[in-house]
Amino acid sequence: MRLILLGPPGAGKGTQAARLVEKFGIPQLSTGDMLRAAVKAGTPVGLQAKAVMESGGLVSDEIVVGIIADRMDEADARNGFILDGFPRTVAQAEALDAMLARKGMKLDGIIELKVDENALLSRIEKRANETVAAGGTVRADDNPDAFKTRLDAYKVQTAPVSAYYSGRGTLKTVDGMAPIEEVSKAIDQLLG
Ligand code: ADP
């Protein structure tokens, strides 16, 4: 099973991906998580990505396509994966198509979570508060300023990715405003 989850920041991609990992026994490939790990480890990629991530902007296509290509070659991704946070630009979607064609792989589903823009900031604030309550560290980009930049990046650079797939007739949409369990059910139904 090879899936892409699309949707704005705070749409619930990570929540649904975690459940699909359990259900299908395939890894979640989150470019956000991979980049945060690189920043934490202070790798060359992390050093390049840190400032732009903190501001809420997008890391270069070249870096992100590189880390995804490497990650897809790891043994645990051989039977499938859930892409979360990638592709985020049309150039990344085209690079993914080329990568899959080279490997002789096909996508089984591209699912977009649709969420009202007004709900997103409060979801991010809730996540930050819950993280603090649990004694964790809030993401450097989970604040109103960086969030605004993330939302703008989504609208300008990522919304066209939905159009890219819907133009090919491969995009499916789920109401991301429904309770988590219902969103999960809707995704299960789409995947048959
Ligand atoms: P969100 O919760 O906003 O969807 P992610 O955890 O997916 O956040 O990503 C956090 C940040 O990592 C993004 O704002 C961006 O700076 C960077 N990033 C993640 N994935 C990509 C990508 N595919 N292309 C460019 N930058 C990315």
Side-chain angles (χ1 to χ4, degrees):
M1 179 68 76
R2 295 186 189 90
L3 300 174
I4 299 179
L5 291 179
L6 292 174
K13 301 187 295 291
T15 304
Q16 296 301 330
R19 196 189 55 91
L20 293 165
V21 163
E22 290 292 313
K23 182 169 171 166
F24 293 108
I26 51 177
Q28 169 193 8
L29 310 190
S30 158
T31 42
D33 287 350
M34 290 184 243
L35 289 167
R36 277 186 288 277
V39 169
K40 203 167 167 209
T43 65
V45 162
L47 293 175
Q48 279 192 64
K50 187 172 192 288
V52 65
M53 286 178 76
E54 281 177 5
S55 74
L58 292 189
V59 174
S60 76
D61 290 333
E62 195 191 347
I63 288 185
V64 177
V65 168
I67 61 174
I68 278 288
D70 289 347
R71 184 64 186 84
M72 272 171 47
D73 283 339
E74 287 180 35
D76 66 337
R78 206 171 298 141
N79 294 323
F81 45 75
I82 301 151
L83 291 173
D84 163 11
F86 180 92
R88 233 181 181 90
T89 64
V90 170
Q92 291 177 19
E94 288 168 349
L96 175 64
D97 277 347
M99 235 184 275
L100 293 170
R102 262 199 314 276
K103 295 177 200 288
M105 292 176 175
K106 274 203 159 57
L107 294 168
D108 299 292
I110 303 160
I111 297 174
E112 180 177 34
L113 299 176
K114 285 258 190 209
V115 181
D116 290 350
E117 190 179 321
N118 294 331
L120 298 174
L121 180 58
S122 57
R123 284 189 179 190
I124 295 281
E125 283 172 339
K126 185 164 170 261
R127 175 164 78 189
N129 291 336
E130 285 168 358
T131 303
V132 171
T137 311
V138 174
R139 271 172 52 171
D141 60 352
D142 270 356
N143 62 71
D145 273 353
F147 183 75
K148 190 181 175 308
T149 310
R150 284 157 66 195
L151 200 54
D152 286 347
Y154 176 78
K155 286 186 199 160
V156 175
Q157 291 165 279
T158 309
V161 173
S162 302
Y164 176 88
Y165 289 119
S166 85
R168 284 166 174 66
T170 46
L171 184 74
K172 294 180 173 143
T173 309
V174 163
D175 174 15
M177 294 302 289
I180 291 174
E181 277 309 307
E182 282 181 32
V183 177
S184 300
K185 255 191 229 157
I187 291 176
D188 288 347
Q189 271 164 11
L190 284 181
L191 297 177

